[in-house]
Amino acid sequence: MDWRDRGLCLREDPDLFFPVGSADSGLSAVQTDEAKAVCRQCPVAERCLAWAVEAGPVEGIWGGTTEGERRALRRRTALGPARTMTAA
Ligand code: SF4
C-alpha cells in the first residue's frame, strides 16, 4: 500500500488543500489552517512532507506545510548546518 492511500486528506474536500490566493489572506488563510489541522493528525505526515520537499515546487498543503514553508526548508537544507562567521 502506498503512503498516499493512508492520507487523511482522502476523506476531505481536495480544494481544502489547494487554497486560492496568498496564504495570509482571509479565506485562503482559513483553508490553510484547516488543511494543516488535518495534516497534524495524519499518520503519514512525515513521509508526505519528505516527498513534497524532495519533489520541488508543488502547489498546495503537503505534510502540514505551504509551498513557501517548504521552500524555506529546502533553502535551510541546502545551506547545511549553521555556519559561524569569522573575522577576516
Ligand atoms: S500530511 Fe496532509 S497532505 Fe499529506 S497525506 Fe496527510 S493529510 Fe494528506
Side-chain angles (χ1 to χ4, degrees):
M1 178 187 263
D2 189 90
W3 62 268
R4 290 173 183 84
D5 297 328
R6 297 173 49 219
L8 292 185
C9 49
L10 294 177
R11 303 178 197 166
E12 303 287 335
D13 179 350
D15 288 347
L16 182 64
F17 293 82
F18 297 93
V20 177
S22 75
D24 49 348
S25 73
L27 178 60
S28 177
V30 170
Q31 283 182 304
T32 297
D33 289 347
E34 287 180 13
K36 285 181 171 184
V38 174
C39 293
R40 278 195 294 274
Q41 305 297 317
C42 182
V44 293
E46 243 178 73
R47 181 67 193 94
C48 180
L49 176 58
W51 174 84
V53 169
E54 290 168 16
V58 285
E59 296 284 325
I61 309 297
W62 294 87
T65 62
T66 63
E67 176 48 30
E69 291 164 340
R70 292 189 297 274
R71 192 177 319 120
L73 277 173
R74 281 186 213 102
R75 214 176 300 129
R76 266 182 264 150
T77 303
L79 291 174
R83 295 188 184 132
T84 320
M85 290 187 65
T86 54

